Amino acid sequence: MARGVLSFPLTSFHADGTLDPDGFRTHVAAQIATAPGAVFPACGTGEFFSLDEDEYRTVVTVAVEEAAGRVPVVAGVGYGWAQAARFARIAEEAGADALLVLPHYLVAAPQDGLVAHLAQLAARTRLPLIAYQRGQVTYTAASLKRIAQIPGVIGLKDGHSDLDRLQRLTLAAPAGFLFFNGAATAEIQARAYATVGVPAYSSAVHAFAPEIAHAFFTALNAADHCRVDTLLRDFYVPLVELRDRVPGYAVSLVKAAARLRGRPVGPVRAPLTDPSDADLTDLTALLTAGLALVGADL
């Protein structure tokens, strides 16, 4: 998965909020055509929290069909372990290759509980699990050693960006255990993550501008720091500043950018809201400028 940008496709909805399977198929096919390292349907960017079980089955099935074995398909699951296991069974039946375990619902929990949560889910699926620490989920180095011993748990995605803690986790992990940079707009911290042994990262930008995402990935891996700095300064940092204006823009702004490029992804579902007209104007200008940096256009 470290050989390419990790794609987190958007879930397509019609204007009335109903699932648009055809639109999603078109979108995910375009994502896979750019040769990402893996595709992660029905995760945070894909509004997993807004999908019922039938919609989830459709989304994962379409992703598996379009991937056709060319790239791994890692489906999101979440909530408490009992509900996560229901989604895991659906993903398994749909042909997913692995699961990304999104943070559990609502409550804070001690380390023993976090480990037990993964163990309960792992016991109920044949699919490999990647734990996601973000929000109320944070593992210690001692807990990392324990979850790495659970059969089926193969990796950790980090969304906290605490590099001191993350370095301790990578040092505590057994050989072959996978780590992923899951920070919001992960490119901002991609160089820093790589220095502690975590080169693989998810890219929300890939969902609407794979040209930019691949240009950044190529420059980063070539240690072309001048190019990396240009893309960060002139596109990614302004994107983060725009994203931070309104809660939920980490998803709704990405969807709006995809719509600007003619992608059939539709609106976000409540409780998210689509960007204001003013923010959409700023997004259009930024996206146009970002694409120009890589020789592409809107």
Side-chain angles (χ1 to χ4, degrees):
M1 293 186 190
R3 297 175 184 171
V5 178
L6 302 181
S7 168
F8 284 68
L10 302 154
T11 299
S12 299
F13 300 120
H14 294 293
D16 65 358
T18 56
L19 184 68
D20 178 7
D22 293 336
F24 179 69
R25 185 178 295 278
T26 298
H27 170 60
V28 77
Q31 289 282 289
I32 292 170
T34 64
V39 61
F40 289 68
C43 292
T45 306
E47 297 178 79
F48 166 78
F49 52 86
S50 291
L51 302 176
D52 67 27
E53 293 181 13
D54 289 338
E55 292 170 331
Y56 177 85
R57 183 185 300 277
T58 297
V59 166
V60 178
T61 298
V62 169
V64 170
E65 289 173 351
E66 292 302 320
R70 290 175 290 171
V71 296
V73 175
V74 184
V77 297
Y79 308 117
W81 61 259
Q83 184 63 37
R86 291 173 64 92
F87 283 101
R89 285 194 294 273
I90 294 170
E92 191 172 323
E93 292 166 0
D97 298 296
L99 302 171
L100 177 65
V101 185
L102 303 173
H104 62 268
Y105 176 68
L106 190 61
V107 296
Q111 292 295 305
D112 284 348
L114 297 179
V115 174
H117 175 73
L118 282 179
Q120 291 283 359
L121 179 55
R124 289 164 172 80
T125 180
R126 293 176 294 180
L127 294 179
L129 304 180
I130 298 169
Y132 190 3
Q133 65 167 13
R134 187 172 184 153
Q136 72 270 39
V137 177
T138 303
Y139 296 101
T140 63
S143 293
L144 188 285
K145 291 179 180 179
R146 292 171 64 191
I147 68 172
Q149 293 174 355
I150 297 172
V153 177
I154 63 169
L156 176 75
K157 183 182 179 185
D158 174 73
H160 286 300
S161 303
D162 181 339
L163 296 184
D164 179 281
R165 179 184 292 271
L166 185 59
Q167 182 69 91
R168 296 168 191 265
L169 296 182
T170 60
L171 293 173
F177 195 78
L178 304 175
F179 285 91
F180 304 92
N181 167 5
T185 316
E187 286 91 343
I188 292 287
Q189 301 182 65
R191 278 189 296 201
Y193 269 81
T195 65
V196 296
V198 184
Y201 62 88
S202 58
S203 176
V205 169
H206 191 274
F208 64 87
E211 305 97 325
I212 298 174
H214 283 289
F216 182 89
F217 182 87
T218 299
L220 182 67
N221 281 274
D224 186 347
H225 296 297
C226 181
R227 179 67 163 160
V228 168
D229 286 345
T230 296
L231 290 168
L232 289 175
R233 181 178 55 249
D234 296 341
F235 177 72
Y236 283 99
V237 170
L239 179 65
V240 168
E241 292 172 349
L242 180 55
R243 181 201 72 200
D244 289 347
R245 290 180 186 177
V246 177
Y249 267 16
V251 176
S252 57
L253 206 69
V254 172
K255 258 198 166 174
R259 290 195 303 273
L260 287 172
R261 304 204 70 198
R263 309 298 191 255
V265 297
V268 292
R269 276 182 172 173
L272 299 179
T273 59
D274 289 312
S276 67
D277 289 343
D279 290 343
L280 192 58
T281 296
D282 291 344
L283 176 63
T284 303
L286 176 59
L287 181 55
T288 301
L291 289 168
L293 290 172
V294 298
D297 55 43
L298 195 60

